[in-house]
Amino acid sequence: MDIPHDLIVLERAAEEQRARLAGLDGEEFDAQHRAWREAVQAVQAAFADHATVSGQTTEGVERAVKRAVRQSEEDPAE
C-alpha cells in the first residue's frame, strides 16, 4: 500500500502530542489532552478520507500508516 506522506506527518504529530502528556497534571494535562484529542481527530479524519478515495478500509489505512511510522523512527514518548 502506498502511504501518502501527509498521513505519516499527521500520525507523527498526534504521537508527539501524546508524548507531551508525560509528567503533566491538572490544567496543563487537560490542555495537552485536548491538543492530543484534536490531533487524533484530524488524523482519523484523514485516514477515513484516504480510505474512501483509495477504496480501502479505514482500519487498513490506519494500520499501514502506524506501521510506516514505527519503521521510520522511534516512539516519541520514549
Side-chain angles (χ1 to χ4, degrees):
M1 174 187 307
D2 188 31
I3 307 297
H5 182 69
D6 60 329
L7 293 180
I8 292 172
V9 170
L10 283 172
E11 177 64 21
R12 284 182 182 153
E15 284 302 304
E16 288 170 3
Q17 292 296 335
R18 179 189 59 82
R20 291 183 185 139
L21 286 167
L24 298 179
D25 59 8
E27 289 181 24
E28 289 178 329
F29 178 87
D30 292 342
Q32 185 57 41
H33 192 262
R34 280 191 299 278
W36 175 47
R37 262 194 344 252
E38 290 171 8
V40 168
Q41 289 170 348
V43 77
Q44 290 294 322
F47 289 164
D49 289 345
H50 182 70
T52 299
V53 169
S54 65
Q56 301 169 31
T57 66
T58 301
E59 295 80 12
V61 171
E62 181 175 1
R63 276 192 307 273
V65 170
K66 288 180 184 283
R67 188 178 320 114
V69 169
R70 279 194 311 271
Q71 290 174 352
S72 67
E73 67 180 33
E74 295 180 12
D75 184 358
E78 295 181 341

